[in-house]
Amino acid sequence: MEWMSQYAIGRSVSDLIKLFRWIHDTYKLTDDRRVVIYIHNLSYDYTYLSGFLNAEFGPGEILALKSRKILTVRHGGLEFRCSYLLSNMSLKVWGDKLKCNIRKLIGAVDYDVIRYPDTLLTMLDWEYMINDVASQKECVYRELKFSDDTIASVPL
């Protein structure tokens, strides 16, 4: 399928920042040459990532609809977009609506369990995390196809 690709797996914020640095440097990204990274509920995750991204790439340029409702953030050539605001649905509902092949594994892991970067993860934990990313990616691709859009033409 056209939406299938490789996935990078890390266990810490520093792993994620290293990946973003590698993408930025490898593709020679600039303010005019960007890569788009969708995050479902960007406002929530950016709260935790902003300090690390600011330290590595400088202050981000934020486009927000209102307080605590971030639509996009740019750090150099990395452009983060909120897929929740694109869909206005939970990842599960969005995947159901678009009849995606890969679905969010609702109820598969216990959110009350505290996990750290060095916590031993079960196969189900890994499947849950990978499915989240894969289902979001399929949703974005199907949404673009359904709307006859591309990453460049899709409305923010």
Side-chain angles (χ1 to χ4, degrees), residues 50-146:
S50 62
F52 298 99
L53 289 166
N54 290 341
E56 184 69 25
F57 298 101
E61 182 182 322
I62 298 172
L63 175 59
L65 300 176
K66 62 183 182 180
S67 180
R68 291 187 280 275
K69 198 165 192 175
I70 298 173
L71 185 59
T72 67
V73 179
R74 287 189 196 160
H75 283 274
L78 300 172
E79 181 175 320
F80 300 92
R81 294 183 185 175
C82 183
S83 58
Y84 179 80
L85 293 176
L86 174 66
S87 66
N88 200 29
M89 294 174 229
S90 71
L91 193 52
K92 181 201 179 315
V93 171
W94 196 20
D96 291 346
K97 176 188 173 227
L98 295 174
K99 297 178 177 46
C100 291
N101 295 313
I102 302 171
R103 303 289 176 94
K104 184 170 178 67
L105 298 177
I106 297 294
V109 298
D110 184 353
Y111 277 101
D112 292 330
V113 173
I114 297 173
R115 294 173 182 85
Y116 299 97
D118 61 348
T119 299
L120 184 62
L121 299 176
T122 67
M123 186 57 78
L124 186 58
D125 292 330
W126 283 107
E127 288 174 19
Y128 178 83
M129 291 182 292
I130 292 168
N131 255 50
D132 256 24
V133 174
S135 65
Q136 180 197 22
K137 183 176 181 185
E138 186 179 358
C139 284
V140 169
Y141 273 85
R142 285 182 181 252
E143 188 70 39
L144 293 175
K145 189 173 182 174
F146 177 75

